[in-house]
Amino acid sequence: MDNIVLENISPKYFTPKDLEQSQIWKKNIIFQKGKKFLIVAPSGSGKSTLATAILGTHFQYEGNIKYDQQIVKNLHLEKIVENRKDGVSLLFQDVRLIKDLTISENILLRVFNQDRKKFIPIMEEYASRLGVESLLNKKAENCSYGERQRSAIVRSLVNPTDFLIYDECFSHLDMENKKIAFSLINEVSQKSESSVLFFELNEFPFEHDYQILHL
């Protein structure tokens, strides 16, 4: 997938307060593969609504979202799900690890039917970078929210898609861990030529070269 295109979209069941000032709602936007974006908006303005719409989880919006030339609303569910393997992934705000599985089992779900053994060194390296390597054999339900959030970031990167979307993925991390996670996401996305879309309440309080859009 080379582009995700937003064509004049707006939420169907609520009207954002700053609809007229938005740089995304009711506009035509192209997120190109390899480019990086920071989408900033206050709570309740539709960040998660937009992020999940781009993933193809719902269609409660006016206008069109396209994967390259394909209108997502017109795609069969199987095709949308298929796109989540290689095309577009979303780290949800509530993380969504399976509580009965270990951290490593959760992370390796992201490799689907490929040989898991070849991903283990990658997983261990990223887990070490984010300080969760000692948790790999621990069940997710026994980890803190911050630990699960760092583990979910590892899962998103172990087999990266063309478009990596993060919905407030640093919300339970302190500044030092935010910087480390941000650096790892940048490094992996550059290597895989992935595009990154961060949805955040505020701009990052550290240096970056992301294009900022206000929702």
Side-chain angles (χ1 to χ4, degrees):
M1 190 186 304
D2 293 320
N3 296 292
I4 291 178
V5 181
L6 311 185
E7 289 183 341
N8 198 35
I9 65 165
S10 61
K12 189 177 283 186
Y13 297 117
F14 73 96
T15 303
K17 289 179 184 175
D18 298 323
L19 184 65
E20 298 303 319
Q21 288 74 39
S22 173
Q23 295 175 304
I24 296 179
W25 296 130
K26 308 287 280 185
K27 303 290 191 302
N28 293 323
I29 303 285
I30 299 176
F31 298 117
Q32 293 176 308
K33 186 181 177 185
K35 304 292 184 182
K36 302 184 178 185
F37 303 88
L38 171 57
I39 298 168
V40 179
S43 182
S45 56
K47 289 191 300 298
S48 295
T49 298
L50 177 57
T52 51
I54 291 174
L55 185 67
T57 301
H58 69 82
F59 308 115
Q60 283 82 47
Y61 55 86
E62 305 291 347
N64 286 318
I65 295 174
K66 292 181 177 176
Y67 296 159
D68 293 327
Q69 301 302 315
Q70 298 177 313
I71 296 173
V72 177
K73 286 177 183 174
N74 295 343
L75 293 175
H76 193 280
L77 178 59
E78 288 181 2
K79 185 65 178 174
I80 291 174
V81 171
E82 185 182 318
N83 272 307
R84 292 177 194 166
K85 291 183 179 177
D86 303 313
V88 55
S89 63
L90 167 62
L91 198 166
F92 291 91
Q93 195 173 4
D94 57 1
V95 178
R96 301 190 183 183
L97 294 183
I98 298 174
K99 64 179 184 178
D100 293 334
L101 297 183
T102 64
I103 293 297
S104 63
E105 288 169 336
N106 270 286
I107 291 170
L108 293 173
L109 288 174
R110 178 69 230 151
V111 309
F112 304 105
N113 296 324
Q114 299 181 69
D115 180 5
R116 294 188 172 197
K117 288 181 182 174
K118 74 175 186 179
F119 290 93
I120 289 175
I122 300 170
M123 174 184 69
E124 290 176 343
E125 179 196 338
Y126 296 169
S128 176
R129 294 269 298 272
L130 296 190
V132 293
E133 189 176 17
S134 64
L135 306 176
L136 290 174
N137 293 319
K138 193 173 180 179
K139 284 192 176 181
E141 63 182 346
N142 296 324
C143 296
S144 70
Y145 199 95
E147 290 170 340
R148 282 184 277 141
Q149 200 161 48
R150 282 179 282 160
S151 301
I153 291 170
V154 174
R155 183 177 61 183
S156 73
L157 297 174
V158 74
N159 182 28
T161 51
D162 295 328
F163 288 83
L164 299 163
I165 303 175
Y166 296 95
D167 184 9
E168 295 187 47
C169 69
F170 303 141
S171 60
H172 284 71
L173 305 187
D174 59 27
M175 184 55 66
E176 188 59 28
N177 278 310
K178 280 183 188 179
K179 287 180 180 177
I180 293 170
F182 180 80
S183 175
L184 181 60
I185 290 169
N186 268 332
E187 188 180 312
V188 175
S189 63
Q190 284 172 10
K191 198 181 298 180
S192 59
E193 300 182 340
S194 301
S195 182
V196 181
L197 282 72
F198 283 112
F199 286 79
E200 290 287 328
L201 285 171
N202 301 293
E203 293 185 17
F204 293 131
F206 43 77
E207 192 173 341
H208 63 83
D209 59 356
Y210 280 58
Q211 180 179 344
I212 298 173
L213 294 169
H214 292 272
L215 185 60

